Amino acid sequence: MYEAVELRDGDKGKYLGHGVSRAVKNINEKISEALIGLDPIHQYQIDQALLDLDKTENKADLGANAILAVSIAACKAGAAEKEVPLYKHIADISGNTGLLLPVPAFSVISGGKHAGNSLSVQGIMILPTGANTFEEAMQMGSETYHHLKAVITEKYGADACNVGEDGGFAPNISSFKDGLDLVNEAIERTGYNERIKIAMDVAATEFCIGTKYDLDIKSPNKSGQNFKSGEDMIGMYTQLCTDYPIVSIEEPFDKEDWENTKLFSSLGICQVVGDNLLASNLKRIERAIHESTCNALLLKLNQIGTVTEAIEVVKLAKDANWGIVVSQRSGETEDSFIADLAVGLATGQIKAGAPCRGERLAKYNQLLRIEEELGDQADYAGERWRLS
């Protein structure tokens, strides 16, 4: 509800109402005319022209999907005009002097709205923080993913290896611990033990009922029997971080539960990532920084709507010494822009799904190409995790 508006057609007779012909029409008939004569090298001018044309705070007139598509296209055109790689152009326009290959957060277990199992948590991820290069991180992540498939097959059968929207496996488990045990065993089989850490995308907003959290909300026969208070959830997360090598938890509480998010973050146990709490929204990020609510930003481009605004919130998060995770969406495309964005802005982290499915691999393959192109100048962010 705090994201920029993604304009859909609403015609139930076409694409179940999810069509985007209105947004396309806005590009072809309104936006294109307003941008004639502007230089794509000057990203700020183009994005400001888009904002001036829309005039709404949440981009509801033209649609954030129309605005972002043009903003990204202009950014790519600017790089082409300068004859430099996209990530270098992004670094230039942001004033960033150092390029950084991000640590990938590979989704390996899917639940929540992303899968049809009974797991309330939206995803469990692995982070190859102990890799020395991005290429090595890809190898470690892929090997662990395939070992996990074998672990799940042995315990639950081959039909338990179907995958969720972001490519993570979706066995019919219901508890956080069951999922974490599967991932831990897969990591042990690879022999990478200390070199791979675990992250969770809880997406607690999806199972928050009033001020309580229903951990069995997806189990029809159990729903309402396993309610947890905010205090209970903090205790559970604290214990999980003790029992497993968890270094990051995303959206541990409801998007309006600022108090418990702050209490948990203050413990300093792990990176606490704001997703729906922040919605990549400048005002909410400023509030979270002021109140010390969390310590990391999940950056989703279409939540904010332009490349310039994304750069601004990243700078804000960096000034607060926050972690920054450039993120996919569940309905991804094969476009790889966020890979260049993560390198150009030196965010240090990227969440692009599992090491499978074309729309996920597109980002990882682009990062491999970037690392190869940078050669000896390539810098992988894993060392920063090890030092911290």
Side-chain angles (χ1 to χ4, degrees):
M1 63 185 293
Y2 299 109
E3 298 185 19
V5 173
E6 190 169 88
L7 187 63
R8 300 286 182 158
D9 296 341
D11 181 356
K12 298 296 184 182
K14 293 182 179 180
Y15 298 107
L16 304 179
H18 298 304
V20 292
S21 62
R22 291 168 61 200
V24 173
K25 186 177 181 180
N26 284 340
I27 293 173
N28 291 336
E29 296 183 2
K30 296 179 180 179
I31 294 175
S32 60
E33 184 176 328
L35 298 187
I36 291 173
L38 296 184
D39 189 337
I41 287 179
H42 303 303
Q43 185 73 38
Y44 173 80
Q45 291 181 9
I46 288 174
D47 288 341
Q48 190 59 51
L50 292 169
L51 298 178
D52 291 343
L53 187 63
D54 181 88
K55 294 185 176 67
T56 67
E57 186 175 353
N58 61 356
K59 303 175 178 66
D61 184 19
L62 299 174
N65 43 346
I67 291 172
L68 180 61
V70 174
S71 182
I72 289 176
C75 193
K76 292 178 179 180
E81 184 177 336
K82 288 163 60 177
E83 297 183 343
V84 299
L86 180 57
Y87 59 89
K88 287 187 178 179
H89 175 56
I90 292 171
D92 288 344
I93 62 178
S94 67
N96 180 42
T97 56
L99 303 173
L100 189 64
L101 273 297
V103 172
F106 295 112
S107 302
V108 292
I109 296 284
S110 291
K113 282 193 170 183
H114 288 183
N117 54 16
S118 298
L119 187 63
S120 57
V121 61
Q122 189 154 280
I124 298 174
M125 297 165 283
I126 53 172
L127 283 70
T129 56
N132 294 306
T133 64
F134 185 82
E135 181 180 6
E136 186 180 21
M138 279 301 305
Q139 178 184 336
M140 292 167 67
S142 181
E143 289 175 0
T144 306
Y145 183 77
H146 286 281
H147 275 293
L148 179 59
K149 182 177 182 180
V151 171
I152 293 172
T153 300
E154 291 167 14
K155 294 195 174 187
Y156 299 100
D159 60 351
C161 288
N162 293 327
V163 299
E165 290 182 15
D166 52 5
F169 296 114
N172 195 23
I173 55 178
S174 58
S175 78
F176 292 27
K177 190 175 184 302
D178 288 344
L180 291 166
D181 284 340
L182 291 171
V183 173
N184 237 10
E185 185 170 341
I187 294 172
E188 289 177 6
R189 291 191 185 189
T190 66
Y192 292 131
N193 300 56
E194 299 301 319
R195 301 177 67 197
I196 292 181
K197 302 301 181 182
I198 296 176
M200 293 199 306
D201 175 7
V202 180
T205 295
E206 302 299 337
F207 56 88
C208 181
I209 311 296
T211 60
K212 301 282 188 178
Y213 295 88
D214 185 359
L215 299 187
D216 287 329
I217 196 168
K218 292 179 67 181
S219 301
N221 298 328
K222 297 180 181 179
S223 183
Q225 300 179 26
N226 192 13
F227 278 119
K228 300 284 187 183
S229 66
E231 184 179 358
D232 294 335
M233 295 290 282
I234 290 174
M236 180 185 69
Y237 294 139
T238 302
Q239 190 61 52
L240 289 175
C241 289
T242 300
D243 296 340
Y244 301 92
I246 296 172
V247 295
S248 180
I249 297 180
E250 179 185 328
E251 198 178 346
F253 300 95
D254 179 69
K255 64 181 181 296
E256 305 294 358
D257 196 346
W258 294 75
E259 181 181 353
N260 282 306
T261 307
K262 179 178 180 178
L263 286 172
F264 179 55
S265 182
S266 69
L267 299 177
I269 295 172
C270 66
Q271 176 178 262
V272 179
V273 187
D275 181 10
N276 287 340
L277 177 85
L278 305 176
S280 304
N281 182 293
L282 182 64
K283 291 181 179 179
R284 293 179 72 83
I285 294 168
E286 287 177 336
R287 176 184 171 184
I289 291 172
H290 178 70
E291 298 181 8
S292 301
T293 309
C294 53
N295 54 34
L297 163 69
L298 191 77
L299 176 64
K300 294 176 176 175
L301 274 178
N302 73 334
Q303 284 185 328
I304 191 165
T306 66
V307 173
T308 297
E309 289 170 299
I311 291 171
E312 289 174 352
V313 298
V314 166
K315 286 180 178 178
L316 189 65
K318 282 189 174 184
D319 287 344
N321 294 316
W322 277 17
I324 303 162
V325 187
V326 173
S327 178
Q328 52 155 27
R329 298 308 299 261
S330 59
E332 262 298 336
T333 74
E334 72 279 7
D335 183 81
S336 61
F337 183 81
I338 64 170
D340 287 83
L341 186 76
V343 175
L345 297 184
T347 62
Q349 299 176 68
I350 191 169
K351 174 185 172 185
C356 78
R357 298 178 58 135
E359 77 277 11
R360 314 293 163 184
L361 291 176
K363 284 73 169 171
Y364 297 133
N365 285 334
Q366 176 64 1
L367 288 165
L368 288 170
R369 286 189 285 267
I370 292 171
E371 183 172 62
E372 184 177 23
E373 183 175 293
L374 289 173
D376 293 340
Q377 294 181 324
D379 184 12
Y380 175 64
E383 182 180 3
R384 288 155 178 75
W385 278 91
R386 295 192 291 274
L387 292 175
S388 63

